[in-house]
Amino acid sequence: MKLRNLILLGITSFSATAIWNIPAAFAYQYLPLKNIQVNELKGTVWNGEAKEIVTKNLTLNNISWSVDLLKSLTSLAIKSNIEIQDPDITFKGLAGFTMSQTISLDDSQFETTGAFASKFQKLAKLSGDIKGNINHFEMAKGELPLLDANYHWKQGELLSPMRIRPAGDYTIIVKPSDNGLTANISSSNAPLALSGDAKIDKEWKYKTNLKIKAANASGKGTMNIIKMTGIRLEKDGSAIIKQQGQLKAFY
């Protein structure tokens, strides 16, 4: 091998090794992160951990990551195995990020609580345990996300704006369709029997077709409350929720 090639090989090897071993704490100083504070960084940008990540509305503890080099090279994206062990939420999965700022998740699982989920919206307060399996998620700027996932709300209770008791189990299964996303909703061992779906197309137009019916005596009082809101009950005592509207891209 010519001397020039040996020198180039040496420089390349040295550069690759240097980049691979950049300390995460050093790289963090130069990242354009606004309103995000990362504490107690250890390891490298490719394989490291953070004791705490703090944003305006959220604090997460015990986050670790490991870049999957082979998957990153074959997908032209940064693919990293992420794990979160926070008291309020646990997560494990493969996260991706491209130069065009497309975000993805694959083979991911999370567990959290209704109380934690309630912090991110003002419509309702929830209790119970929430588990999710995300087979694939992909979100590009301005576009409807791709999503193949299922979510299970175990021993869930709605605490407000109205109280639904006793606790029950609820499931949402989201699948991609030819023109967008379809979410099938169901319940089991719950005071209300839920069935039906919600659809959203690539233009962000949504439609719901849900049936709510008392599954036992405890659910009849809730159906009366629903009736008081102006929703008409069918002859069998059920309520059919058919709505449609327009949403806006959120990323």
Side-chain angles (χ1 to χ4, degrees), residues 121-165:
Q121 47 81 37
K122 299 180 180 180
L123 296 177
K125 289 186 178 181
L126 314 172
S127 68
D129 297 319
I130 300 173
K131 296 182 179 180
N133 293 290
I134 303 171
N135 299 315
H136 179 67
F137 167 77
E138 187 174 319
M139 183 168 61
K141 283 198 169 184
E143 297 181 8
L144 183 72
L146 296 174
L147 181 60
D148 180 358
N150 56 78
Y151 306 97
H152 304 280
W153 184 20
K154 297 291 185 180
Q155 289 299 293
E157 270 189 76
L158 179 64
L159 303 180
S160 69
M162 64 179 181
R163 191 75 179 259
I164 297 180
R165 302 182 66 183

